[in-house]
Amino acid sequence: MDAIAHQPPQMAKANGIELCYEIFGAPDAEPLVLIMGLGAQMIHWDDEFCQQLAGRGFRVIRFDNRDIGKSTRLTGGKPLRAMDLIKLRLFKIAPEAPYKLWDMANDVVGLLDTLGIKKAHIVGASMGGMIAQAFAIRHSERTRSLVSIMSTTGDPEVGQPETAALESLMTPTPEGRDAIIEASLRTSRVIGSPMHFDEAAERDK
């Protein structure tokens, strides 16, 4: 198998901010954008997975969402608390936020504009799936296809997580490197594939 072309992380101006992105695959291959979920950097799209997609004829673009990794950090607004999620789930009271999923979908548009891409396959996981859906709704003319992984539409009556998954995702992040790693592993065991979960590989991340 030929070596997969790989562009290391770079910065791009998009929707008034800067996004850190990385590309796998040939420049003339069909563009495929990977959008990660809440609080997760682009590296959670595994390198080998990205290379496999590129090997199947895609130009794979992964990036850090705003407020994540090396992308622009925004000020203003309050941190999302567990109580905010409970209010949203039980009483449909949306928390205050300095930006919305629509804004994050527009970030993707800005990234594609900077890269000179008119149309792409859009793939999102978890909150990234919601961003992908928002992108496809508002920018159907730029959507080759849509894949929404372990996500939801935002309707409280649709696609609710199991109790164990909800509790794991709502548990506050502990302090200290070792504690954070162990907490991340516990969450991955709950939400990850029971057949393909590789604890050693997850720990190395």
Side-chain angles (χ1 to χ4, degrees):
M1 180 177 175
D2 295 335
I4 299 297
H6 175 223
Q7 295 182 24
Q10 302 175 62
M11 301 300 294
K13 293 186 181 301
N15 194 25
I17 61 174
E18 286 195 328
L19 299 178
C20 183
Y21 72 95
E22 193 171 6
I23 297 178
F24 299 80
D28 58 349
E30 287 192 13
L32 185 155
V33 179
L34 298 174
I35 310 173
M36 189 35 74
L38 179 66
Q41 290 180 254
M42 61 179 170
I43 56 175
H44 281 77
W45 295 108
D46 187 76
D47 286 0
E48 185 177 351
F49 175 67
C50 294
Q51 291 164 356
Q52 288 178 351
L53 290 175
R56 290 176 178 266
F58 295 102
R59 183 187 184 198
V60 181
I61 303 154
R62 65 181 185 182
F63 69 98
D64 287 336
N65 283 311
R66 57 171 65 194
D67 274 332
I68 292 298
K70 296 182 179 179
S71 291
T72 295
R73 297 298 180 97
L74 302 179
T75 58
K78 299 177 181 179
L80 189 65
R81 303 165 302 166
M83 184 55 67
D84 294 322
L85 297 176
I86 293 172
K87 288 180 179 179
L88 178 62
R89 180 178 172 86
L90 298 180
F91 306 111
K92 301 182 183 179
I93 300 174
E96 294 183 8
Y99 51 84
K100 300 182 182 297
L101 291 173
W102 300 114
D103 298 306
M104 301 182 79
N106 287 334
D107 293 347
V108 181
V109 174
L111 178 60
L112 293 181
D113 287 345
T114 296
L115 296 176
I117 297 172
K118 294 182 178 180
K119 201 170 186 178
H121 299 283
I122 307 297
V123 180
S126 192
M127 186 187 75
M130 300 177 77
I131 297 170
Q133 292 171 56
F135 179 97
I137 290 169
R138 291 274 177 93
H139 307 284
S140 59
E141 76 286 355
R142 306 194 67 168
T143 307
R144 289 175 180 257
S145 66
L146 168 66
V147 178
S148 182
I149 304 168
M150 63 175 191
S151 191
T152 182
T153 64
D155 184 342
E157 303 301 322
V158 177
Q160 293 302 307
E162 294 183 358
T163 301
L166 186 63
E167 290 177 350
S168 179
L169 292 169
M170 290 175 60
T171 300
T173 302
E175 295 184 4
R177 175 183 171 82
D178 291 341
I180 290 173
I181 291 174
E182 292 306 320
S184 177
L185 287 172
R186 285 195 298 272
T187 298
S188 295
R189 291 188 193 100
V190 173
I191 68 174
S193 166
M195 294 179 61
H196 301 289
F197 177 69
D198 185 335
E199 181 166 332
E202 287 294 316
R203 188 176 291 275
D204 285 343
K205 289 181 181 179

